[in-house]
Amino acid sequence: MRVLLAGGGTAGHTSPLLATADALKRLRPDIEITCLGTPRGLENRVVPEAGYPLELVPPVPLPRKPGADLLKVPVRLRDAVRATNDVLDRVRPDVVVGYGGYVSVPAYLAARRRGLPVVVHEQNALPGLGNKVGARVARRVAVSFPDTPLPRAEYVGLPIRRMISTLDRPALRAEARAFFGLDPDRPTLVVTGGSQGARRLNQSVSGAAAALGAAGVQVLHVVGPKGEAAPVATGTPYVVVDFVDRMDLALAAADLMVCRAGANSVTEAAASGVPAVFVPLPIGNGEQEHNARPVVDAGGALLVSDAAFTTEWVAATVPGLATDPERLAAMGAAASGLVPRDADEKLARIVLEVGGAA
């Protein structure tokens, strides 16, 4: 069987794509997997590193508001569909799987014209425009959250990497903290804005370094490829890195995490039992707050708006929380039972069923 997996841009699309690819390989070692992305996305690094072939087509951004860019969409879409058709000629897949984003719409349209079966996976609680299009032509529609408003949606959860779904945090904690140059025994805060970083998180947390250090809280701060943080020196470790490939080690090192509320961040933190402070991205259609809400309502995380997440809020709230092991344990336990850990295999089996019936 041959499968084309279409998704790219950020880790929100590439991480579930790669988790599904790995699950397909475990279930059917002889399967041929090709990934479809665009020249500008994270997939250009992570897909080849994972050992999968990558084909590229032009991106088709879908503007949220009327304007000059909206008028360019038909031509861009035509060019991208044409390029996708060329990929289909080379790969000859039995099934096309889309994860949303710029690359998925031309994949859905090209597959439909050829009569190829399509499987859609939507990672957010509120679907994006690409997957709203895809759901109209898909044979099966899988979602990460139970109430995602897509037709014929099947709740499978978000595919996450095995290194995280099977993570034993206590067993790995000492190794993880040594890996990042952290003290083995101090309360540890991990901060990440996702694969692109988050200026608000970077500024507010690094600005509160004095308060965190005074409380004995050490920090692992993932600032993103273009981000920066300038914490004052306190004598308590404050480690700043651009990117983390071993997210399992970051989660194992953490007593508490501060992050955006993309589906990946929410699912990985909850599945690992890491208490979190979610700061939803203030743009888009509000999907990040919806992603976080089940974990927050269960008591596994705090939810803070981007505007309210100031240096003053961090200094007043986070040190006390990070040094309260009983509260952190209760939050972690509340989060850990909420999300499926086997979504990768559930989605892979759907793909195999659809591809096998083609």
Side-chain angles (χ1 to χ4, degrees):
M1 185 183 293
R2 292 181 293 274
V3 178
L4 182 68
L5 304 179
T10 67
H13 297 299
T14 58
S15 291
L17 180 153
L18 291 174
T20 311
D22 290 345
L24 285 166
K25 278 289 188 184
R26 289 195 304 273
L27 294 171
R28 283 279 300 270
D30 62 335
I31 200 166
E32 295 180 22
I33 295 172
T34 303
C35 301
L36 186 71
T38 73
R40 63 173 66 170
L42 185 66
E43 62 271 23
N44 290 273
R45 183 174 68 81
V46 298
V47 169
E49 285 180 357
Y52 296 106
L54 177 65
E55 296 275 358
L56 301 176
V57 297
V60 186
L62 300 175
R64 297 181 184 273
K65 297 179 181 179
D69 275 348
L70 187 61
L71 298 176
K72 298 175 183 177
V73 167
V75 173
R76 288 173 173 165
L77 186 57
R78 182 197 65 199
D79 292 344
V81 170
R82 186 178 296 153
T84 305
N85 274 318
D86 292 340
V87 173
L88 295 179
D89 287 338
R90 291 193 295 273
V91 174
R92 295 179 292 115
D94 298 294
V95 57
V96 173
V97 186
Y99 295 83
Y102 295 161
V103 72
S104 289
V105 173
Y108 296 146
L109 296 177
R112 183 189 185 189
R113 290 179 184 178
R114 294 190 175 213
L116 290 172
V118 169
V119 174
V120 166
H121 184 274
E122 172 57 52
Q123 75 269 31
N124 286 308
L126 290 180
L129 182 57
N131 277 347
K132 288 180 179 178
V133 172
R136 297 170 65 92
V137 304
R139 192 79 57 86
R140 303 278 291 273
V141 178
V143 296
S144 300
F145 297 92
D147 300 319
T148 302
L150 282 175
R152 298 172 290 106
E154 303 173 48
Y155 172 48
V156 301
L158 181 76
I160 55 176
R161 291 159 291 180
R162 294 277 289 178
M163 69 171 69
I164 293 172
S165 64
T166 62
L167 179 63
D168 183 339
R169 288 174 57 226
L172 203 58
R173 180 169 292 123
E175 177 189 340
R177 291 183 177 176
F179 180 85
F180 292 112
L182 297 167
D183 187 293
D185 300 316
R186 288 183 184 270
T188 303
L189 173 68
V190 173
V191 184
T192 173
S195 58
Q196 303 305 300
R199 181 187 298 270
R200 169 73 73 172
L201 272 59
N202 291 347
Q203 293 176 340
S204 296
V205 177
S206 64
L212 292 163
V217 178
Q218 64 184 348
V219 180
L220 170 63
H221 193 150
V222 188
V223 296
K226 298 180 181 178
E228 58 183 30
V232 298
T234 65
T236 303
Y238 194 118
V239 177
V240 178
V241 297
D242 294 338
F243 188 80
V244 168
D245 282 308
R246 291 293 304 275
M247 198 61 198
D248 59 323
L249 293 180
L251 290 163
D255 292 303
L256 176 66
M257 177 171 280
V258 168
C259 56
R260 290 298 194 194
N264 243 38
S265 296
V266 171
T267 301
E268 291 185 348
S272 314
V274 177
V277 176
F278 293 129
V279 187
L281 190 69
I283 60 175
N285 60 2
E287 70 273 10
Q288 290 205 355
E289 182 173 346
H290 285 268
N291 294 344
R293 183 55 63 186
V295 182
V296 174
D297 289 347
L302 304 181
L303 185 69
V304 185
S305 72
D306 188 78
F309 191 77
T310 61
T311 293
E312 292 74 23
W313 187 94
V314 174
T317 309
V318 174
L321 178 57
T323 53
D324 186 343
E326 291 186 1
R327 186 179 178 193
L328 292 176
M331 291 174 70
S336 63
L338 288 178
V339 299
R341 291 178 175 80
D342 60 349
D344 54 342
E345 291 204 356
K346 287 180 180 176
L347 181 58
R349 292 187 187 279
I350 289 174
V351 173
L352 293 174
E353 288 174 19
V354 171

